[in-house]
């Protein structure tokens, strides 16, 4: 199982075996994008083997290794209903970067600085948020071993997730309109759906929406949030409901967002191209649309609790913590409502004010 390049046409392909041992080949495109897609598929196949592997059996006193511990943890999370996407992300992380290094060493011998070094090198081009997320995954795996007495220590026990600086999002409503106009049809439609519903803009919500989720009589849509394991109902504006009806007639799949008859998985490349065509001089990600959705509603006087429910936040406090600091005008309008303790006679008279020495208008010669 590995990535190869054909000399005849420069396409990339992955050769792998299924669960029954049969050999398969999957072909991808050319160039950097083809190689990236092939590598991603190769990682998924490797992760799938870890996800679907049988539970390891421990003999009394046997030391646990990282592949065994991760397998037990993954099966526990599957039983709890954790999303397959989350499980595969963890499996890819461990299978690709940690099992090759620690295959012959028990978990109890793994040191904190070794983990930090591996994450730092493997994901040097990724954000601090991504690296911290992977560290959190590993910390939970190690803690699972300690809790169930499979290991004696968690090498990441003292590691704490660093406080992240809020991303400086610059997307405005006028720029969003420019972005939509410059986007290819499938991306323009995704932008329109994301803007009208305010959903999380990845595979967990936006790309998981189906036509069956819409209640046409109630003018609403049901959204399942894998992050909070909750359902929420979002009202649909009349104008957008009509747009949905038109797009449903053209749909080739059961998903609201699709491309060439297939469900969508990502927008990164097409979004970057659209931003360049629109003349936007700052980086844009799909999540900026959800951010703009929330800030626009709050700035227009929307109820914070209602916005929190629309966003699918676990609490109103989360909404306030994430978005209210952007609304400086709200604080000014609020403080202006405070009654004054001053009396009219406390105000200085015009004569007194004019008799006060005035600062010089220019520097003395």
């Amino acid at each position: 199982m590995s990535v190869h390049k054909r000399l005849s046409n420069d396409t990339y392909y992955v050769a792998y075996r299924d669960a029954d041992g049969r050999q398969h080949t999957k072909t991808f495109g050319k160039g950097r994008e083809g190689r990236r897609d092939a590598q991603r598929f190769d990682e998924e196949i490797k992760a799938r083997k870890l996800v679907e592997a049988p539970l390891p059996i421990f003999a009394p006193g046997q030391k646990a290794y990282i592949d065994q511990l991760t397998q037990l943890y993954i099966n526990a999370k599957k039983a709890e209903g954790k999303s397959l996407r989350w499980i595969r992300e963890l499996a890819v992380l461990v299978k690709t970067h940690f099992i090759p290094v620690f295959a012959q060493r028990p978990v109890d011998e793994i040191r904190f600085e070794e983990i930090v070094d591996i994450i730092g090198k493997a994901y040097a081009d990724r954000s601090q948020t991504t690296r911290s997320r992977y560290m959190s995954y590993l910390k939970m795996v190690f803690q699972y071993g300690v809790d169930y007495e499979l290991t004696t220590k968690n090498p990441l026990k003292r590691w704490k997730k660093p406080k992240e600086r809020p991303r400086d999002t610059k997307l405005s409503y006028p720029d969003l309109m420019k972005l939509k106009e410059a986007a290819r049809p499938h991306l323009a439609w995704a932008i329109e759906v994301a803007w009208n519903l305010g959903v999380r803009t990845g595979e967990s919500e936006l790309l998981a929406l189906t036509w069956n989720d819409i209640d046409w009589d109630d003018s609403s849509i049901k959204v399942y949030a894998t992050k909070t394991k909750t359902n929420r109902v979002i009202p649909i504006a009349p104008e957008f409901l009509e747009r949905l009806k038109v797009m449903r007639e053209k749909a080739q799949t059961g998903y609201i967002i699709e491309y060439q008859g297939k469900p969508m998985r990502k927008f990164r490349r097409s979004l970057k191209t659209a931003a360049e065509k629109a003349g936007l001089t700052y980086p844009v990600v799909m999540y900026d649309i959800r951010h703009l959705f929330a800030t626009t509603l709050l700035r227009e006087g929307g109820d914070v609790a209602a916005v929190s429910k629309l966003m699918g936040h676990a609490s109103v406090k989360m909404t306030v913590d994430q978005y209210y600091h952007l609304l400086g005008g709200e604080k000014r309008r609020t403080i202006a409502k405070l009654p004054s303790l001053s009396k009219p006679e406390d105000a200085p008279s015009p004569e007194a004010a004019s008799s006060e020495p005035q600062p010089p208008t220019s520097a003395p010669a």
Side-chain angles (χ1 to χ4, degrees):
M1 177 173 56
S2 56
V3 176
H4 305 274
K5 183 179 181 181
R6 289 189 176 90
L7 297 178
S8 58
N9 57 10
D10 291 334
T11 58
Y12 286 88
Y13 69 94
V14 175
Y16 65 98
R17 294 185 183 277
D18 61 20
D20 298 323
R22 291 190 295 267
Q23 183 76 29
H24 295 274
T25 300
K26 186 174 178 63
T27 302
F28 299 86
K30 303 177 183 179
R32 184 187 302 174
E33 190 68 21
R35 183 180 61 186
R36 186 183 298 128
D37 291 341
Q39 289 172 338
R40 186 179 295 112
F41 179 78
D42 186 52
E43 289 179 350
E44 288 180 359
I45 292 296
K46 291 176 181 177
R48 193 181 304 165
K49 288 190 173 183
L50 183 60
V51 171
E52 298 172 355
L55 285 172
I57 299 175
F58 287 90
Q62 177 183 341
K63 293 183 178 181
Y65 292 80
I66 193 167
D67 59 332
Q68 299 171 319
L69 188 59
T70 304
Q71 185 61 63
L72 289 170
Y73 182 74
I74 282 175
N75 278 271
K77 294 294 122 178
K78 285 169 66 177
E80 293 175 9
K82 199 72 174 177
S83 73
L84 186 59
R85 177 172 174 254
W86 185 93
I87 290 172
R88 284 181 175 170
E89 188 174 33
L90 169 61
V92 167
L93 170 69
V94 176
K95 185 79 174 181
T96 306
H97 300 295
F98 287 89
I99 291 179
V101 177
F102 301 120
Q104 305 302 321
R105 292 169 55 190
V107 171
D108 284 339
E109 295 181 9
I110 298 175
R111 302 191 307 274
F112 168 79
E113 58 269 19
E114 293 177 298
I115 299 171
V116 173
D117 184 59
I118 291 172
I119 291 290
K121 290 179 179 178
Y123 300 100
D125 60 339
R126 306 294 288 275
S127 67
Q128 178 61 53
T129 300
T130 299
R131 294 195 295 271
S132 294
R133 183 169 77 250
Y134 291 160
M135 291 285 283
S136 296
Y137 289 173
L138 292 168
K139 184 175 182 178
M140 289 186 288
V141 171
F142 293 134
Q143 190 57 44
Y144 178 87
V146 173
D147 292 343
Y148 287 88
E149 300 181 352
L150 301 170
T151 58
T152 60
K153 70 172 187 177
N154 179 348
L156 293 179
K157 180 179 180 180
R158 297 185 183 279
W159 177 82
K160 293 184 179 180
K161 187 176 180 181
K163 190 172 183 180
E164 298 170 6
R165 181 179 179 181
R167 184 172 178 273
D168 184 18
T169 55
K170 298 180 180 180
L171 186 65
S172 63
Y173 178 73
D175 282 355
L176 181 63
M177 293 293 290
K178 293 178 185 177
L179 187 66
K180 180 175 176 291
E181 290 298 319
R184 296 177 63 185
H186 70 283
L187 175 59
W189 172 237
I191 290 173
E192 191 172 346
V193 175
W195 172 249
N196 279 275
L197 302 181
V199 292
R200 295 177 177 91
T201 52
E203 292 181 84
S204 65
E205 290 189 8
L206 177 62
L207 301 181
L209 295 175
T210 68
W211 297 108
N212 290 333
D213 294 326
I214 300 175
D215 186 332
W216 301 97
D217 295 328
D218 186 53
S219 299
S220 63
I221 185 169
K222 181 182 288 185
V223 179
Y224 176 70
T226 57
K227 187 173 183 179
T228 56
K229 299 291 187 297
T230 57
N231 284 304
R232 68 184 187 278
V233 176
I234 300 176
I236 301 174
E239 182 180 351
F240 184 57
L241 187 67
E242 294 304 313
R243 285 280 292 132
L244 285 166
K245 291 177 180 177
V246 171
M247 295 301 290
R248 180 180 58 169
E249 296 300 319
K250 303 177 182 178
Q252 300 179 53
T253 71
Y255 290 90
I256 294 178
I257 308 298
E258 62 179 20
Y259 177 62
Q260 295 182 345
K262 296 179 181 179
M264 285 291 299
R265 292 186 58 187
K266 58 183 180 179
F267 300 101
R268 186 176 299 173
R269 188 175 180 182
S270 57
L271 183 64
K272 182 179 180 181
T273 301
E276 291 173 353
K277 288 184 178 179
L280 304 187
T281 58
Y282 52 86
V284 178
V285 297
M286 284 294 288
Y287 195 87
D288 292 343
I289 301 173
R290 175 172 160 88
H291 179 86
L292 183 62
F293 171 89
T295 54
T296 300
L297 291 179
L298 291 171
R299 284 187 176 124
E300 293 297 320
D303 178 69
V304 177
V307 173
S308 182
K309 290 291 185 182
L310 290 171
M311 298 286 286
H313 286 166
S315 66
V316 175
K317 181 180 182 301
M318 180 182 294
T319 309
V320 172
D321 289 346
Q322 289 191 17
Y323 295 100
Y324 211 75
H325 69 283
L326 299 171
L327 308 180
E330 291 297 323
K331 292 187 288 186
R332 191 172 299 280
R333 284 190 290 272
T334 299
I335 202 69
K337 296 179 181 180
L338 187 69
S340 174
L341 291 180
S342 300
K343 298 178 181 179
E345 56 268 25
D346 294 333
S349 63
E351 294 79 9
S354 61
S355 64
E356 292 182 359
Q358 300 298 314
T361 58
S362 60

